[in-house]
Amino acid sequence: MTVLFLGFLTGMSLIAAIGAQNAFVLRQGIRSEHVLPVIAVCIAGDFLLITAGIGGLGGLIAATPSLLTVTKVGGAAFLIGYGLVAGRRASRPGTLVPAESNPARLGAALLTALAITFLNPHVYLDTVVLLGSLANAHQDARWVFGAGALIASVTWFAGLGYGARYLAGVFQRPGTWRVLDGGIAVVMIALGASLLVS
């Protein structure tokens, strides 16, 4: 139980940081659009990455700098592009409340969730390399540690996605959406830029 709880705390501390994935899940939750499929993609992604890290992929990534460089550049380009799109939404004076505008298609939402999950090099560093190393330090109990981290993922994304609907009243005004999109733009572009210079 101690190793499971330690895995949970470690997973929660890594996943709760403000980032592209959390911003996207929050936005979908506030809009009440495709929340369950988006959450499922994020959790499935964490499951694959945690399993891969415990299974040894973290060591391979750490030993292959060129693979990390390609992932870093691609992830930075995606994050900056997503940030620019959010900034464009925020800069429009006549921006509609999203629920009143065209809803996002399921396919587009799932592709964005997949891209944000797998094109972000921080995910590989945090989940595969760091979490994998910490789990493997527990030797025979490494999968118990990984299970704790996965429980943290399920708890966090479900809470964020479905808890966001309680903010829907606040987001009835277009100005509030412009502030959120502006914040998302700043976070995404800053993350992308930090990847490029790191």
Side-chain angles (χ1 to χ4, degrees):
M1 285 302 291
T2 303
V3 175
L4 184 74
F5 186 62
L6 186 58
F8 177 86
L9 288 179
T10 304
M12 190 63 79
S13 67
L14 291 174
I15 205 169
I18 295 172
Q21 205 177 35
N22 288 338
F24 181 69
V25 172
L26 178 66
R27 191 169 204 284
Q28 292 302 115
I30 291 170
R31 291 177 62 141
S32 294
E33 285 185 0
H34 315 300
V35 178
L36 182 59
V38 166
I39 288 172
V41 166
C42 295
I43 293 170
D46 273 2
F47 174 78
L48 290 173
L49 294 167
I50 290 167
T51 302
I54 296 172
L57 183 61
L60 176 64
I61 290 175
T64 315
S66 59
L67 178 62
L68 198 55
T69 300
V70 169
T71 307
K72 182 169 76 168
V73 172
F78 174 79
L79 291 172
I80 290 170
Y82 190 87
L84 292 173
V85 170
R88 185 170 176 245
R89 284 193 308 259
S91 67
R92 292 181 180 168
T95 301
L96 295 173
V97 176
E100 297 170 359
S101 60
N102 294 330
R105 295 175 190 249
L106 176 60
L110 293 180
L111 282 175
T112 303
L114 284 167
I116 284 174
T117 299
F118 292 106
L119 290 179
N120 184 356
H122 287 298
V123 169
Y124 295 98
L125 293 173
D126 289 348
T127 309
V128 179
V129 177
L130 179 59
L131 201 98
S133 299
L134 292 171
N136 283 312
H138 293 282
Q139 299 174 344
D140 292 341
R142 64 187 181 274
W143 294 107
V144 176
F145 185 95
L150 186 60
I151 292 169
S153 175
V154 172
T155 304
W156 176 259
F157 285 121
L160 184 63
Y162 287 109
R165 70 178 58 185
Y166 295 108
L167 298 173
V170 176
F171 284 88
Q172 290 299 314
R173 298 183 303 276
T176 310
W177 278 100
R178 292 179 67 195
V179 170
L180 177 66
D181 280 328
I184 289 172
V186 169
V187 168
M188 299 295 187
I189 292 170
L191 285 172
S194 71
L195 284 177
L196 290 176
V197 299
S198 65

